[in-house]
Amino acid sequence: MDLTELSERLEKISVGYGEHLGFDRDPDWFLLKLQEEVGELTQAYLQHTGRARAKGATPDGIRETFHQEFADVLCQLLLFARRHDVDLPREIERKWLVYEA
């Protein structure tokens, strides 16, 4: 999946989300929403590893939530990068892939 195309699709969804709930997706919102999603991933991880209460969820439900939270974090990160005109494929190439053997 192409990151640029994906971020464009996510942007449309995110705009609709903001309009539906009636808030402005200002620059701070992108970072704060990312932080919220990382917090939810952390909570799901703690449940998944047995270090937090299950709150009535089954092991399969906990695993599913844990996996879905990765998608939330990644999508919000892509939206945050898009908002700040970060070319993620280029930056990944420069920062990580330069070390490929």
Side-chain angles (χ1 to χ4, degrees), residues 18-79:
E19 288 173 352
H20 176 73
L21 294 177
F23 66 86
D24 180 28
R25 298 173 324 125
D26 66 14
D28 291 344
W29 178 84
F30 289 89
L31 179 58
L32 295 171
K33 187 66 175 173
L34 175 60
Q35 186 64 41
E36 175 189 351
E37 296 300 347
V38 170
E40 291 175 5
L41 176 60
T42 302
Q43 177 63 35
Y45 174 74
L46 291 172
Q47 287 179 320
H48 182 66
T49 58
R51 293 183 276 172
R53 294 177 293 129
K55 299 180 181 177
T58 66
D60 285 343
I62 289 170
R63 183 176 182 271
E64 182 177 330
T65 298
F66 178 53
H67 289 192
Q68 289 175 345
E69 291 302 334
F70 279 95
D72 286 347
V73 169
L74 178 61
C75 290
Q76 199 59 43
L77 181 63
L78 290 172
L79 287 167

Side-chain angles (χ1 to χ4, degrees), residues 3-13 79 82:
L3 289 181
T4 302
E5 177 188 336
L6 178 59
S7 72
E8 289 171 6
R9 293 170 64 190
L10 296 172
E11 177 66 12
K12 290 177 186 174
I13 294 166
L79 287 167
R82 177 186 174 86

